[in-house]
Amino acid sequence: MGEIDAVASAAGSVPWRPLGELTADDIRGGLEGKAVSQIELVRQGARHLPAHASYTLVTGIPAREPLLTGSVAALVNGAVEAFVRAAAIELPGRQRINAVSPTVFEESLDAYGDTFAGCDAVPVARAANASVKSIEGHRTGQIFLVEQ
């Protein structure tokens, strides 16, 4: 396969439940599923990828916009964004790290019902372009917002 120049993650799941119904396992699951998994990707990659490698993680609008039933989503997205800013000054060599943080995707609006009421949806292609900017650009420690 050769040398890996970039790693991009769009993985992660979180529970969407009312605060009063959340369990400690829900919170741990959200942290593991979206935050720890992406952080671990970078932590392990930092030792094995070349000095010029880049990491692109994914967050989302709950990091900056409160959404009903989205408290765990807010927690983990905010954690990933804080990690990106902090890791950017600690990665070895010239390794870079950024995150792409979209609002809701047009293609998934039906699945979410009114969870994202009032949020302007964007096409997935816009998030893909932000990922290209992260991977092929030269900035680090950035959160690339994908909004209208």
Side-chain angles (χ1 to χ4, degrees):
M1 174 165 58
E3 191 172 74
I4 297 173
D5 294 319
V7 177
S9 173
S13 63
V14 296
W16 289 85
R17 300 178 65 186
L19 183 62
E21 295 177 16
L22 286 173
T23 66
D25 285 341
D26 289 332
I27 297 165
R28 279 190 286 276
L31 285 165
E32 280 288 329
K34 187 159 186 179
V36 174
S37 62
Q38 294 189 94
I39 292 165
E40 196 60 11
L41 180 80
V42 175
R43 189 186 69 80
Q44 290 186 32
R47 296 188 306 245
H48 301 289
L49 271 59
H52 63 273
S54 76
Y55 306 89
T56 300
L57 308 183
V58 67
T59 68
I61 196 168
R64 58 194 177 279
E65 291 282 335
L67 298 170
L68 196 61
T69 73
S71 59
V72 175
L75 167 71
V76 299
N77 283 293
V80 171
E81 290 186 10
F83 172 76
V84 164
R85 289 186 292 272
I89 64 171
E90 291 192 51
L91 283 170
R94 296 179 334 273
Q95 289 186 357
R96 299 177 303 102
I97 184 171
N98 297 298
V100 172
S101 184
T103 183
V104 65
F105 294 129
E106 291 173 353
E107 295 85 348
S108 63
L109 274 175
D110 291 342
Y112 286 107
D114 65 353
T115 302
F116 290 88
C119 294
D120 292 324
V122 297
V124 170
R126 295 251 335 265
N129 285 341
S131 293
V132 170
K133 181 192 306 186
S134 174
I135 293 166
E136 295 183 5
H138 301 284
R139 295 192 281 173
T140 190
Q142 302 296 302
I143 312 303
F144 294 111
L145 303 182
V146 183
E147 302 176 319
Q148 288 290 0

